[in-house]
Every structure is written in C-alpha cells, then in structure tokens.
Amino acid sequence: MSLKGSEINIRLTEQLFGGNAVGCFQGKRVITNHGIKGQLVRIKIKKVKESYLEGTVVEVLEKSCLETEKACPHFEFCGGCSMQGVQYEEQVKLKEEQVRYLFKDKGIEVEEWLPTVLSRRVYGYRNKMEFSFGNEYKEGPLTLGMHQRGRRFDVVNTPQCNLVDEDFRKIRNITADYFKNKAFKPYHKISREGILRHLVIRKGSNTGDILVNLVTTNCKELPVQEWKEQLLSLSLDGNLKGIIWTLNDGVADVVQSDELIILYGASTFKESLMGLTFTVTPYSFFQTNTYGAEDLYINVLKYIEKGDVNVVDLYCGLGTITQLAAQKATHVTGIELIKEAVIQARIDAANNGFTNCEFIAGDVKDVLSSIHIVPDVIIVDPPRPGVHVQAMEDLLEMKPNKFIYISCNPKTLVENVRQSQQFNWEVKSARCVDLFPHTPHLECVVLMSRADNGKN
C-alpha cells in the first residue's frame, strides 16, 4: 500500500532553516512544511522517495516543550510566523544552529563565529506589511491578511497581527471593513477574475511617516476616494504622508505597477538610519526592521577601514550601505538593477552631503564587465536567489582585499561561499543578525578574504 495521500503521526526531532521540520516514520526521514522541534504532529504524505518522505502538517497533536509563550490569535492558520509561542532567545538559538549546520554540511570552515545579534524589538518591529485580499474559503467572505499556512489561495484575516504597530492595524482594519461591504471581489491568480489584490503599508520607524498603497486591477470605478477619506479620518500616532493607488493587471502574485495614482500627499516617505535620511519609494527595497538594519549595518561597517580606497556595493537598493560606507571609504560605487532606486539614491546621497558616492543602474552580472574599478572591498547584499554563478566568479576574480557578503537566505549564501573556496578564498568570520523575530528567517554577515591576500 502506497503511503502517498495517507496521514501519519510523527514526533518532530529537528528544524531546518527556512521553516521545514523533520521527524521519522518506519525508519525513513520525514520532512514537513513547518513545525517546531518536539511537537507531535499529524501530517499528510505528499511525496514518497526512496530514502525520505515529504508531507504537510494537518494538525498539531501535542505542543513542544519549547512552546512556553502565548502566541498571536492568528497563529494556528496564518502562514507568517511559524515560531510564535517559542521564547525569543530560544528562537534565535535554533536559527543560529540551523545556519551553522548549513555551513558545516557544505564543508565550509569559519574561522570565527561571532555572537548572534538579537532584534531590539520582538513585536511591532516591521516597517512594511503587504496584506493580501482573498477569501476565507472558496467563495467565502472577503478577507485581508496573510496567506493561510499550506494553502495557495485562502487568506486569513489578521486584524491583531503583532509584528506591526497599532497604526498598521487601524489602516488594515478600516480597509477590510470598507471593502467587505462592497461588491468588489478579490483577484484570483488562477481564474484572473476579481479586482482587489494587496494593501501595502510602510512606516518609518524613526520618522513616523506612513505610506499606504492599495493595489488592484485596472478598475477605474472603484470608490477609492471614499476609502481615502476614511483613512484620513483615522487617529494615528504616525504621519500619513501619502495614499496611493497602484493598478496592476500582471499575472504574477506580486506588487508591481502598470500605473500609479496619488490619491493624497506624496508617493514616497522619509526614514532615517544611523544619522542619514533616505527617501523610500513605493516599490524599492528597504530592510523591514529598521532597528535591526541599523545593527546589521553597524556590523558590516566594522569591516571597512579608513584605508579602504574603493568600495563596491552590489544590489545596493536605495544606497543605504553605500552611503554609510562612504563615511569611511574614499570612494564607494553602488550598483542596482532598479533604475528608480538608483535615481533616488543619487538624490539622497547629495542631500546627505556625500560627494564620494557613485550609483550605476544595471544588472550586476552585466555591469561588472564594463566598470573599470579595482576594489579594495566588495559588499554584496543580493536577493534571496543569491549571486549569479558567473557574476560571483567575476567578483572573485577582481581580487579585493575583503569580500563582505550579507544574506537573508543562508541556503544560497553557502552555495556562493563554497564557490569562493574554489578561488582560494577563506571565511574569516560569520555572524547572524535577527531581523525577523517569530519567523524562520534571519540575516547573516560573512567576511571573506583571499588565502593569498597580500601576495602578488
């Protein structure tokens, strides 16, 4: 009898980085989509391989002894925070162990593991939240929140999400109530029917500036002016700087813009970081935990010295690291794919008083071959897929004195680091920085240098 499709009970014995958990059944390793070490769970088998099984958690039958804290009321179904209920310090310990295992599993030696930096805020730390419109179940009531754990289409209402502050909750709740009483349906990514897609809220943790972005399909009869007036009537701790309406008829379930309409104020807001001011645009990347980002960048800057003449900052986004590095290095070049971000980075750098920053728009793997810079230090902070293999090779062959790799996905980080070892590079130090409490994610900073550094 095939196990596929059947349900079994297992005790979870370990957690993998990214949220998966592991147990054992009839001598075979069982990998689940989520879970906490020590839980007794019922899972449904999805895949049967020769040496292991894969399944999804149907029910938690018995909590782990690690679950000593009260979880958010949405925790059981929301797919956002898989580690709520576990004491924060224990969460960090588990995640650090998982990252260290990734390095060990690839045979990567780290000269010095530095202590993990904990998040200054454990709750209410997010400066950006992307809520999805959906249905509680097929053809059910309109919802606005996070995707249900293990379900592709169902969305869980999250009126009390504690990863954001009260301003976020007020804006989410009034928006959910307003559209729930209208006839407009959520967009369905398979049938491509419906109108309402996302509500994106961003807030400067240090400035209090708020930007609200409603994302829908191209439906000009949507009563957005009435919705806008409801937002403006809210009593908020922060400053509502802008309300925008993004029209998006794209197929992918991502926030992107075919057209942007400003309903109120501006389409950008300000955030300060370590004494510098940045203008955050609607679709640009900015670390979602401002205080955690400051701690992350403090540790990056420790590796940059006054004697470093040329620093290259890749995947630089709005140029946060670029400008911070410019306080110590002679010249810093930032490279970023999104042209809008590069334009804004140039403006912000000038406003912050920097004359030693240069920003180039383009794909890293294409730009590298055209720039004529001999860098002392290379900094990379790539998206989750990591650095393209060819781009990584080009970077390593530039032979900087130091290579600083910042990653939100240690799985792809270790692949790039392993590639570097083929070019005679060594890992001098590594440190985890937790920007994402209650989730299975964290940032990692690695310092590498050539084994033949200083030799011609």
Side-chain angles (χ1 to χ4, degrees):
M1 176 181 173
S2 175
L3 282 172
K4 186 174 181 179
S6 63
E7 294 186 0
I8 60 173
N9 297 344
I10 60 169
R11 179 77 65 178
L12 300 178
T13 56
E14 62 177 301
Q15 291 173 238
L16 306 179
F17 187 82
N20 299 103
V22 178
C24 184
F25 181 75
Q26 295 181 351
K28 280 192 175 184
R29 184 177 169 90
V30 183
I31 302 174
T32 70
N33 60 328
H34 70 89
I36 295 170
K37 183 169 66 172
Q39 286 179 335
L40 178 66
V41 296
R42 177 176 293 118
I43 69 166
K44 185 172 183 178
I45 302 298
K46 296 293 185 180
K47 292 182 181 180
V48 178
K49 302 292 184 180
E50 186 174 342
S51 58
Y52 68 94
L53 308 172
E54 288 186 17
T56 57
V57 175
V58 175
E59 183 183 0
V60 177
L61 302 172
E62 185 181 308
K63 285 188 174 184
S64 165
C65 62
L66 299 174
E67 296 177 272
T68 59
E69 306 291 316
K70 184 178 179 181
C72 159
H74 314 302
F75 174 68
E76 183 179 356
F77 300 106
C78 176
C81 309
S82 63
M83 298 189 76
Q84 279 205 48
V86 177
Q87 187 181 34
Y88 178 59
E89 288 74 12
E90 189 66 32
Q91 292 180 27
V92 174
K93 179 182 175 183
L94 288 168
K95 289 194 282 188
E96 181 184 329
E97 288 174 354
Q98 293 159 15
V99 172
R100 288 187 181 226
Y101 173 79
L102 291 174
F103 279 80
K104 183 179 179 181
D105 188 52
K106 297 296 181 182
I108 300 170
E109 291 188 9
V110 177
E111 189 170 305
E112 181 182 22
W113 273 102
L114 299 169
T116 295
V117 179
L118 278 63
S119 179
R120 287 186 233 168
R121 287 189 178 181
V122 178
Y123 296 102
Y125 63 84
R126 287 190 66 95
N127 58 40
K128 175 186 177 183
M129 186 61 89
E130 184 178 304
F131 297 106
S132 296
F133 286 96
N135 297 108
E136 193 171 337
Y137 48 86
K138 188 175 181 180
E139 302 301 327
L142 181 74
T143 53
L144 178 58
M146 308 303 290
H147 285 280
Q148 186 170 332
R149 185 182 290 127
R151 306 291 291 271
R152 292 185 62 194
F153 304 113
D154 297 343
V155 173
V156 181
N157 269 319
T158 54
Q160 300 178 57
C161 175
N162 58 25
L163 295 193
V164 293
D165 68 23
E166 186 62 21
D167 283 350
F168 282 79
R169 289 189 284 269
K170 286 181 178 180
I171 294 168
R172 190 226 75 96
N173 295 346
I174 202 170
T175 301
D177 290 342
Y178 177 78
F179 285 108
K180 194 172 184 178
N181 296 322
K182 304 295 179 182
F184 302 101
K185 293 184 176 181
Y187 178 78
H188 194 282
K189 57 188 177 184
I190 299 299
S191 68
R192 301 182 190 176
E193 297 176 343
I195 294 168
L196 304 169
R197 303 189 71 146
H198 301 94
L199 176 71
V200 185
I201 307 170
R202 304 183 79 156
K203 180 179 180 181
S205 299
N206 288 322
T207 63
D209 288 357
I210 300 171
L211 179 66
V212 180
N213 183 5
L214 178 68
V215 185
T216 74
T217 56
N218 194 348
C219 176
K220 292 297 177 66
E221 63 267 24
L222 202 67
V224 291
Q225 296 298 332
E226 187 180 355
W227 166 72
K228 175 197 74 175
E229 293 302 324
Q230 291 208 8
L231 291 187
L232 292 173
S233 71
L234 287 171
S235 175
L236 303 171
D237 289 335
N239 313 302
L240 188 51
K241 291 294 185 179
I243 302 172
I244 61 177
W245 180 20
T246 295
L247 304 181
N248 172 22
D249 282 329
V251 176
D253 187 27
V254 295
V255 174
Q256 58 189 29
S257 176
D258 296 332
E259 182 181 355
L260 185 153
I261 300 169
I262 298 177
L263 302 176
Y264 169 80
S267 62
T268 63
F269 70 96
K270 301 290 186 182
E271 175 65 307
S272 62
L273 195 74
M274 296 171 66
L276 303 180
T277 299
F278 299 93
T279 305
V280 183
T281 56
Y283 315 110
S284 58
F285 172 77
F286 196 89
Q287 290 284 4
T288 55
N289 182 339
T290 301
Y291 305 117
E294 290 178 338
D295 291 333
L296 175 68
Y297 298 154
I298 285 169
N299 281 281
V300 171
L301 292 179
K302 289 177 181 178
Y303 299 133
I304 300 174
E305 301 168 299
K306 290 289 185 182
D308 291 326
V309 177
N310 284 315
V311 175
V312 176
D313 177 22
L314 308 178
Y315 312 93
C316 71
L318 290 169
T320 49
I321 299 175
T322 315
Q323 294 178 56
L324 291 168
Q327 295 175 323
K328 301 180 76 172
T330 304
H331 187 270
V332 187
T333 302
I335 300 175
E336 168 59 40
L337 176 64
I338 300 174
K339 188 175 181 180
E340 171 200 54
V342 169
I343 293 170
Q344 191 59 60
R346 290 169 179 160
I347 295 170
D348 285 344
N351 290 337
N352 284 323
F354 292 107
T355 58
N356 59 336
C357 288
E358 175 187 6
F359 294 95
I360 301 173
D363 194 317
V364 167
K365 62 182 174 62
D366 298 326
V367 173
L368 285 177
S369 60
S370 62
I371 63 173
H372 303 287
I373 298 173
V374 180
D376 297 292
V377 182
I378 288 177
I379 304 171
V380 297
D381 186 4
R384 294 190 63 78
V387 181
H388 185 276
V389 173
Q390 185 57 56
M392 189 69 185
E393 183 174 330
D394 292 342
L395 290 173
L396 296 168
E397 290 185 340
M398 294 175 82
K399 295 185 176 180
N401 296 325
K402 289 174 281 190
F403 194 121
I404 305 169
Y405 197 129
I406 308 164
S407 176
C408 62
N409 185 3
K411 289 182 179 179
T412 52
L413 164 66
V414 295
E415 294 296 341
N416 283 148
V417 172
R418 187 169 66 168
Q419 181 184 358
S420 76
Q421 294 189 319
Q422 300 170 9
F423 290 80
N424 208 26
W425 285 76
E426 299 174 328
V427 179
K428 306 302 290 183
S429 69
R431 185 196 290 272
C432 297
V433 183
D434 187 30
L435 270 68
F436 318 104
H438 309 300
T439 79
H441 308 294
L442 47 62
E443 295 272 342
C444 190
V445 182
V446 169
L447 173 65
M448 299 189 295
S449 68
R450 287 178 288 122
D452 61 349
N453 201 7
K455 301 176 184 178
N456 295 322

